[in-house]
Amino acid sequence: VKINPHSHRSDPTTLVVIRSFSVEEEIELQKNESFCVGAHPWNIEKFPIDWCEQLKIKLQHPKCLALGEVGLDLAIKTPLKTQQHMMQMALEQIEQTSIKRVVLHVVRAHNEVYAIVKKYPHLKFFLHDYQGNLQETQQWMKLNVMFSFSPRLILKNEKLQAVFQSIDQYHKTLETDDFATSINDFANQVKQQFHIGDAQIKQMGENALSFYFD
Ligand SMILES: [Zn+2]
């Protein structure tokens, strides 16, 4: 899964692609490429027996920026208990590394994910493809989080759009991930929908970069 924050450091069309690997995947990097490695709840059945050890080793790679994706997904068949256990174990692996960032996959499991991550107030969290409601958003704001919106923001309902508007410009960003929309098209749609200017779009690109690189 890739996260494509819109960036403007050099020009407005610059695209930052940070790939997330799941622990069982082989990590083959381009020159100078940074990455994330996690234990994706969709892939639990494919995890090798020694996945914790493998995850810890991969997290210590000099180009590894974050643990992710990890999280909980109530739309899949894998039991919640199993997913919670795996997520806890994955988070424990970063305790012995210098990693301070976590990319979260949250599907219909806000309370359950929050209950786990609130135990790690020293970490910062990237809420990828964010779909929470206003109340959940208020709760997340108690932690160090970056809300990342996918093209669902435009496609989906007005509730998510109200959530987007409730978040200040320094704590949200845009991603395209697996969607067919290009990041520039998405950014243009966001500008039109919310009547915001280039400066705010640029800020959201900077936010993603600062999450990963500061
Ligand atoms: Zn995800």
Side-chain angles (χ1 to χ4, degrees), residues 22-25 39-51 54 78 86:
S22 190
V23 61
E24 77 286 358
E25 291 173 331
H40 202 292
W42 292 354
N43 298 13
I44 284 173
E45 278 157 33
K46 293 185 219 155
F47 291 177
I49 290 172
D50 64 341
W51 71 272
Q54 286 193 34
T78 310
M86 297 304 204

Side-chain angles (χ1 to χ4, degrees), residues 127-178:
L127 290 162
H128 130 78
D129 193 4
Y130 188 65
Q131 297 172 61
N133 64 32
L134 280 167
Q135 198 190 339
E136 289 159 350
T137 303
Q138 290 297 319
Q139 198 176 32
W140 281 117
M141 282 176 181
K142 294 177 195 162
L143 298 175
N144 189 350
V145 290
M146 184 64 67
F147 298 92
S148 181
F149 292 86
S150 76
R152 241 183 265 281
L153 178 62
I154 304 296
L155 302 170
K156 221 183 173 182
N157 52 50
E158 287 167 4
K159 274 188 188 164
L160 192 59
Q161 295 173 0
V163 166
F164 178 83
Q165 285 183 299
S166 77
I167 301 166
D168 73 77
Q169 62 171 322
Y170 302 103
H171 291 91
K172 59 189 172 189
T173 191
L174 304 178
E175 67 177 56
T176 51
D177 197 9
D178 290 335

Side-chain angles (χ1 to χ4, degrees), residues 175-188:
E175 67 177 56
T176 51
D177 197 9
D178 290 335
F179 291 83
T181 321
S182 78
I183 195 74
N184 278 335
D185 288 348
F186 179 33
N188 282 327

